Amino acid sequence: MPDLPHYSLFIAGHWRAGSQGQTLQSVNPATGEAWARFDCASPEDVSDAVSAAQAALDAPAWRDMSQTARGKLLYRLADLVAEKAEHLGRIETTDSGKLAAETRAQTGYVADYYRYYAGLADKIEGAVLPIDKPDMHVFTQRLPIGVVAAIVPWNAQMFLAATKLAPALAAGCAVVLKASEIAPAPMLEFARLIEQAGFPPGVVSVLTGDAENCAIPLTRHPGVDRIAFTGGPDAARHVVRNSAENFAVTTLELGGKSPILVFEDADLDAAANGLIAGNFGASGQSCVAGTRGLVQRPVYDALVAAITAKCRDLVVGDPHDPATHLGPLCTMAQVEKIETTLAKAVSQGARIAFGGSRAGGDSAHYFQPTLVLADGPGVETLTVEMFGPVMTLIPFDTEEEAIQLANDSDFGLGSGVFTQNVARAHRVSRRIRSGITWVNTYRAISPMAPFGGFNQSGYGREAGQEAILDYTRTKTTWIDTSEDPMANPFVMR
């Protein structure tokens, strides 16, 4: 253990050990061996981080900083993220097993999220109201909502942190960022950039730790004004219950079982690529994974053949190797969940066209890219979010049937439509109950485009112009401009 890299907590601008001395090891999924260890926060550490955030909000260094100056700090942070993209990507790949090619590219692009909100920092405006009373000047201001608890999972954490931190900091909030206790190293490395960029102490603290000692005390803390959570529905229910203790404004970005609809007039090569990207990209460890492929019957067999041909030479292996297409899954629990779900689906009549088993031995985190074929919707792989490289295809006959199948889910995050008919694309995408629909493409993101879902995929939106307003409160000011004293105090004006 002494040779392992060690990560401390970042609280109030200082690096420190957890007050209860608890540490955990981080396991490299590619090897199954511990590669780093990190300090875990206690309830006292959480309280210290929230108190530091409250103090930062009241300190002139942050409170009185102009909106333009806040934007410049975010530009500086964006530059540092871009400069360190390769380093951060390497850490994330080692810690989570995601492909190095993806982690480097995604981290580099994440810098644009900070730049986007840096530009919006001094575009937050109030209004002068045309009030219906004489001698009154009434105006509104957008003020920072306060202390934000930002909770991110281990997958796509640089991206998911940016969609919370960037608008929160641009709005003038202070943030306590809670990284997952599974693979937290990239967030703790990122804290060094926060420090280097020059944010005042306490404006951003970065913690990690288990639910009992870190997540629950944070989401229940009376000093927290807003909770921005990304994770699973079960954990989200606890977050919502905890928020009843502090009445924090809460947004939830949760899981999904996204449908991809392929119509008979679709470009099948593009559709096959979309399904592969939506299921095997990031080894299937994506909340918008398009795991329910709905294919119009006349092209069903041809699409199966196209996907099979494209996947024949996919490489499952070392995520640091540029030749690798799919790396390991982050946890063994995911592997075991996939195996259980596939077995249930087969017992229900589904067929495995290719894949369906581990790659690299019984103790490995690797799983083969897997295609499941089903005759109808009643199979387990169409309902369970497995967070792994498994797609299921089922046929449909009519547009109406496709829409019904697409909406037959408790989730509603992403969706895809492949068709050359523009009218159909508009018609169908409007009726799919999901927060995002991609047409003739899949898994594209931008800081300018809102991201979020319906139903059990959560509520609230991240990214886009509106997101920055979610980190503000509206204050209304009334000024009596009359020279006369205030009239009868017992009559509402």
Side-chain angles (χ1 to χ4, degrees):
M1 286 232 306
D3 294 328
L4 296 180
H6 184 93
Y7 291 95
S8 298
L9 306 174
F10 183 66
I11 299 175
H14 301 286
W15 295 93
R16 66 187 229 190
S19 60
Q20 293 183 358
Q22 183 187 10
T23 63
L24 289 174
Q25 291 185 349
S26 194
V27 173
N28 180 344
T31 65
E33 298 176 354
W35 80 276
R37 69 177 185 271
F38 54 90
D39 291 303
C40 296
S42 69
E44 292 77 17
D45 298 320
V46 170
S47 186
D48 286 350
V50 174
S51 295
Q54 292 174 308
L57 288 171
D58 290 333
W62 187 241
R63 182 195 65 202
D64 298 339
M65 184 180 290
S66 72
Q67 292 171 259
T68 301
R70 287 202 302 262
K72 289 180 179 179
L73 269 181
L74 281 169
Y75 278 123
R76 172 63 177 151
L77 179 60
D79 290 342
L80 289 170
V81 170
E83 289 170 14
K84 297 293 185 179
E86 184 171 351
H87 171 70
L88 290 168
R90 185 170 61 253
I91 294 293
E92 185 172 1
T93 293
T94 302
D95 214 25
S96 70
K98 292 186 67 176
L99 290 187
E102 179 167 3
T103 56
R104 287 196 301 267
Q106 189 175 76
T107 300
Y109 186 55
V110 156
D112 284 350
Y113 280 76
Y114 292 104
R115 293 190 181 104
Y116 179 78
Y117 284 102
L120 285 178
D122 56 8
K123 313 299 186 297
I124 304 172
E125 299 177 346
V128 176
L129 306 183
I131 208 70
D132 59 346
K133 291 175 171 54
D135 300 321
M136 285 289 181
H137 177 63
V138 184
F139 62 92
T140 62
Q141 296 167 282
R142 291 278 190 170
L143 302 179
I145 199 168
V147 176
V148 176
I151 302 172
V152 297
W154 56 263
N155 71 308
Q157 52 195 302
M158 290 298 298
F159 161 65
L160 294 168
T163 60
K164 299 166 179 59
L165 271 177
L169 296 176
C173 299
V175 182
V176 179
L177 176 64
K178 194 275 179 186
S180 171
E181 64 275 24
I182 300 172
M187 289 292 90
L188 297 167
E189 288 279 348
F190 171 71
R192 303 185 197 279
L193 305 188
I194 292 287
E195 184 179 29
Q196 190 176 343
F199 285 89
V203 172
V204 180
S205 293
V206 181
L207 312 175
T208 190
D210 60 25
E212 182 178 356
N213 291 295
C214 188
I216 293 173
L218 178 59
T219 52
R220 291 171 61 97
H221 198 288
V224 168
D225 301 289
R226 190 185 191 289
I227 301 169
F229 173 83
T230 299
D234 290 339
R237 291 183 180 93
H238 291 291
V239 169
V240 172
R241 294 186 191 103
N242 294 341
S243 71
E245 300 298 320
N246 54 20
F247 298 111
V249 176
T250 303
T251 53
L252 306 172
E253 198 273 285
L254 310 179
K257 283 296 293 183
S258 300
I260 297 180
L261 286 62
V262 180
F263 288 92
E264 60 184 335
D265 66 335
D267 180 319
L268 292 190
D269 188 62
N273 285 337
L275 281 157
I276 292 169
N279 286 277
F280 301 154
S283 301
Q285 300 172 116
S286 170
C287 56
V288 296
T291 53
R292 296 187 294 138
L294 315 179
V295 186
Q296 200 155 24
R297 201 175 299 275
V299 296
Y300 184 87
D301 290 340
L303 185 60
V304 170
I307 292 171
T308 302
K310 287 176 177 288
C311 293
R312 188 170 290 122
D313 297 322
L314 291 183
V315 177
V316 180
D318 181 358
H320 288 282
D321 187 338
T324 297
H325 298 104
L326 290 88
L329 302 186
C330 188
T331 68
M332 185 57 71
Q334 292 165 257
V335 175
E336 293 168 350
K337 186 174 186 178
I338 291 171
E339 290 176 326
T340 301
T341 306
L342 286 175
K344 182 70 177 291
V346 169
S347 73
Q348 295 166 331
R351 305 175 307 283
I352 296 178
F354 60 76
S357 61
R358 301 185 189 191
D362 290 342
S363 62
H365 288 208
Y366 295 93
F367 204 88
Q368 296 174 341
T370 300
L371 174 61
V372 178
L373 305 179
D375 296 327
V379 299
E380 197 81 349
T381 52
L382 291 169
T383 59
V384 175
E385 185 182 28
M386 290 168 282
F387 236 54
V390 180
M391 78 166 88
T392 303
L393 301 184
I394 62 173
F396 69 84
D397 292 302
T398 67
E399 180 179 306
E400 187 65 29
E401 181 189 5
I403 294 169
Q404 290 176 357
L405 288 169
N407 291 334
D408 184 21
S409 174
D410 293 332
F411 298 98
L413 184 53
S415 60
V417 177
F418 282 84
T419 180
Q420 297 300 307
N421 185 321
V422 175
R424 173 187 281 153
H426 281 279
R427 191 168 60 239
V428 172
S429 63
R430 180 180 177 84
R431 290 188 58 194
I432 296 175
R433 290 196 295 270
S434 67
I436 310 161
T437 299
W438 290 283
V439 177
N440 295 329
T441 188
Y442 204 79
R443 210 170 159 243
I445 58 170
S446 168
M448 305 170 194
F451 187 98
F454 298 169
N455 306 330
Q456 290 193 27
S457 289
Y459 49 78
R461 293 295 179 268
E462 296 184 328
Q465 291 188 29
E466 292 181 9
I468 197 171
L469 301 181
D470 290 340
Y471 289 91
T472 67
R473 297 188 197 275
T474 300
K475 179 183 177 67
T476 304
T477 301
W478 293 67
I479 301 177
D480 188 339
T481 61
S482 172
E483 294 181 349
D484 299 325
M486 183 176 171
N488 188 343
F490 298 102
V491 176
M492 182 176 286
R493 300 200 67 187

